[in-house]
């Protein structure tokens, strides 16, 4: 069985509206699950605070994750293929202002659920960190052949969850997640623009 690539004619491309609606609906569903879990599960959400230390920590962590992802992208062909597949599908239809939503919506909703609610619900310990990170990784599994992308997402989940445990501040992984998403999407768009410019010459 061969993997369908983004330029495979059998793969129906998504429209900009479909991508934006999908992001919005997913964010609402994740927010809803988190709220219901808080209400019915007798769980206390991980705290958060808006201060310079948390912002700097989140931005620094996001930059570190992005740099590490770049190294993994170069060294692991399976992850590179999956990342290209995913980014092509999601980013191709979007215009530059849409990237703000691509950073904010998953960054807020996924962190609220996985690090803000699930982590303290399971336990603020190694077991809670591992299980919540595995769930986060599975969320990013779009097909069995995309397993390298899920593995990397699980590793990122461990890093984000670890920052939540160390700081006790949900704002740190939220900021890191947003920064990571923005960097990866901006770099992909810039690379795409650069390649198109070279092909015209």
């Amino acid at each position: 069985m061969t993997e369908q690539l983004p330029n495979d004619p059998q793969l129906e491309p998504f429209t900009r509206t479909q991508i934006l609606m999908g992001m919005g609906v997913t964010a609402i569903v994740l927010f809803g699950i988190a709220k219901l879990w808080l209400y019915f599960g007798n769980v206390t959400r991980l705290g958060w605070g808006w201060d310079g230390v948390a912002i700097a920590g989140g931005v620094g962590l996001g930059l570190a994750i992005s740099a590490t992802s770049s190294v993994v992208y170069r060294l692991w062909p399976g992850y590179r293929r999956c990342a290209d597949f995913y980014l092509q599908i999601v980013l191709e239809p979007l215009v530059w202002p849409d990237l703000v939503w691509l950073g904010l919506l998953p960054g807020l909703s996924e962190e609220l659920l996985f690090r803000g609610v699930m982590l303290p619900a399971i336990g603020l310990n190694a077991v809670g960190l591992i299980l919540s990170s595995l769930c986060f990784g599975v969320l990013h599994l779009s097909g069995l052949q995309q397993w390298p992308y899920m593995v990397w997402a699980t590793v990122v989940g461990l890093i984000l969850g670890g920052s939540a445990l160390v700081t006790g501040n949900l704002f740190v992984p939220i900021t890191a997640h947003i920064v990571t998403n923005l960097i990866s999407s901006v770099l992909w768009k810039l690379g795409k623009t650069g390649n198109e410019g070279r092909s015209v010459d």
Side-chain angles (χ1 to χ4, degrees):
M1 179 182 293
T2 59
E3 178 177 304
Q4 284 186 318
L5 297 174
N7 57 0
D8 190 327
Q10 296 178 4
L11 184 64
E12 191 68 30
F14 292 106
T15 65
R16 176 176 177 247
T17 301
Q18 287 173 324
I19 294 291
L20 292 174
M21 286 184 64
M23 282 194 301
V25 169
T26 301
I28 290 170
V29 168
L30 295 181
F31 275 127
I33 293 171
K35 289 294 185 183
L36 288 171
W37 199 336
L38 286 171
Y39 185 79
F40 292 107
N42 195 24
V43 179
T44 301
R45 179 182 52 79
L46 192 71
W48 61 6
W50 302 67
D51 57 49
V53 174
I55 293 172
V59 170
L61 185 60
L63 292 172
I65 291 171
S66 298
T68 306
S69 178
S70 178
V71 173
V72 173
Y73 181 88
R74 285 176 172 79
L75 297 179
W76 187 7
Y79 171 69
R80 181 168 59 248
R81 188 168 54 251
C82 293
D84 287 342
F85 179 86
Y86 177 79
L87 293 173
Q88 175 87 24
I89 290 172
V90 173
L91 294 176
E92 180 73 28
L94 300 183
V95 296
W96 283 97
D98 298 335
L99 302 187
V100 174
W101 296 113
L102 190 61
L104 288 175
L105 289 176
L108 290 168
S109 61
E110 292 175 11
E111 292 311 310
L112 175 62
L113 176 58
F114 292 101
R115 260 62 71 178
V117 177
M118 186 180 292
L119 180 57
I122 299 172
L124 295 172
N125 50 41
V127 174
L129 176 62
I130 292 169
L131 290 180
S132 62
S133 299
L134 284 171
C135 291
F136 179 73
V138 169
L139 177 72
H140 293 80
L141 182 64
S142 58
L144 291 179
Q145 294 175 344
Q146 297 295 97
W147 67 265
Y149 198 82
M150 182 199 75
V151 170
W152 176 244
T154 302
V155 171
V156 172
L158 288 167
I159 296 169
L160 294 172
S163 75
L165 288 178
V166 169
T167 64
N169 189 346
L170 185 58
F171 191 65
V172 173
I174 286 175
T175 304
H177 196 149
I178 291 170
V179 168
T180 302
N181 283 4
L182 287 175
I183 288 174
S184 64
S185 56
V186 166
L187 288 178
W188 189 90
K189 280 286 191 186
L190 287 174
K192 187 75 172 174
T193 302
N195 288 338
E196 288 173 354
R198 282 193 293 272
S199 67
V200 170
D201 293 340

